[in-house]
């Protein structure tokens, strides 16, 4: 099930490039260090995590509901150091069997998921017993102007995305 928001997806890719230069890439490397085997990445966006997966990862299954971001992720697959498959899907309804993955990665996505408990329950469902959950999320900025921008982007956007 797709969530179409082409303006936001293009803005996000530009904004993310600035974030990467300001240290987000270091957070991503740290987040993914030590992962191995089968990994699901929920809300993969345009694929900024892909270059940072360690060689011990046998396969990444990336789930992204926004078509423009999913298309960009598909392009990012070509330079990933490990095999990556990109799928359409929602965090709250992952299209995979129970106990399918050794690890799950959620990176800057929970702020756009309307039903976070359902999404986390789905992640738990698809993780094998003893599997790892790795997440990287932002918090409200202490700078008032930036906090207002976050509020404008984070809160109303998912309501507009959902059917």
């Amino acid at each position: 099930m797709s969530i179409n928001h082409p303006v936001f997806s293009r803005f996000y890719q530009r904004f993310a490039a600035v974030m990467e230069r300001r240290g987000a890439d270091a957070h991503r490397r740290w987040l993914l260090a030590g992962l191995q085997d089968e990994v699901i990445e929920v809300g993969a966006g345009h694929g900024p995590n892909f270059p940072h997966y360690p060689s011990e990862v046998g396969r990444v299954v990336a789930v992204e509901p926004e078509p423009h971001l999913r298309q960009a992720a598909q392009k990012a697959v070509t330079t990933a150091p490990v095999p990556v498959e990109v799928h359409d899907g929602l965090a709250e309804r992952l299209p995979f069997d129970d106990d399918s993955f050794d690890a799950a990665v959620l990176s800057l996505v929970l702020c756009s998921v309307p039903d976070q408990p359902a999404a986390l329950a789905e992640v738990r469902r698809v993780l094998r017993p003893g599997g790892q959950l790795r997440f990287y999320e932002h918090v409200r900025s202490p700078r008032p102007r930036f906090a207002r921008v976050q509020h404008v982007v984070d809160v109303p956007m998912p309501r507009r995305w959902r059917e």
Side-chain angles (χ1 to χ4, degrees):
M1 175 175 299
S2 292
I3 298 172
N4 195 0
H5 201 282
V7 174
F8 176 78
S9 68
R10 288 182 178 100
F11 164 79
Y12 179 75
Q13 289 177 74
R14 289 188 198 108
F15 180 70
V18 172
M19 288 175 31
E20 296 303 306
R21 289 191 301 271
R22 292 185 176 178
D25 61 336
H27 288 290
R28 293 178 193 286
R29 280 192 301 276
W30 179 82
L31 173 71
L32 304 174
L35 288 177
Q36 53 189 9
D37 302 325
E38 304 281 319
V39 177
I40 184 169
E41 182 173 338
V42 179
H46 59 285
N49 283 333
F50 297 171
H52 304 293
Y53 278 99
S55 61
E56 294 81 10
V57 170
R59 175 177 76 131
V60 174
V61 174
V63 178
E64 175 53 51
E66 208 292 322
H68 295 88
L69 291 174
R70 194 169 54 250
Q71 182 179 16
Q74 196 61 55
K75 290 178 185 173
V77 163
T78 61
T79 60
V82 299
V84 178
E85 302 168 12
V86 178
H87 295 265
D88 184 10
L90 295 173
E92 302 94 325
R93 286 177 287 189
L94 296 172
F96 304 103
D97 292 335
D98 295 359
D99 305 328
S100 297
F101 300 96
D102 300 291
V105 173
L106 290 91
S107 181
L108 300 173
V109 68
L110 288 175
C111 62
S112 65
V113 174
D115 191 347
Q116 293 169 354
L120 292 171
E122 275 294 277
V123 168
R124 183 173 190 201
R125 181 185 65 77
V126 301
L127 273 177
R128 292 185 178 117
Q132 295 183 38
L133 168 60
R134 305 268 184 103
F135 66 94
Y136 164 39
E137 291 296 333
H138 66 85
V139 296
R140 178 81 51 208
S141 174
R143 298 185 336 228
R145 287 181 114 177
F146 194 70
R148 280 192 296 276
V149 170
Q150 286 177 308
H151 180 74
V152 167
V153 172
D154 285 351
V155 176
M157 203 63 71
R159 282 189 224 119
R160 284 186 240 149
W161 284 2
R162 299 295 168 174
E163 297 179 318

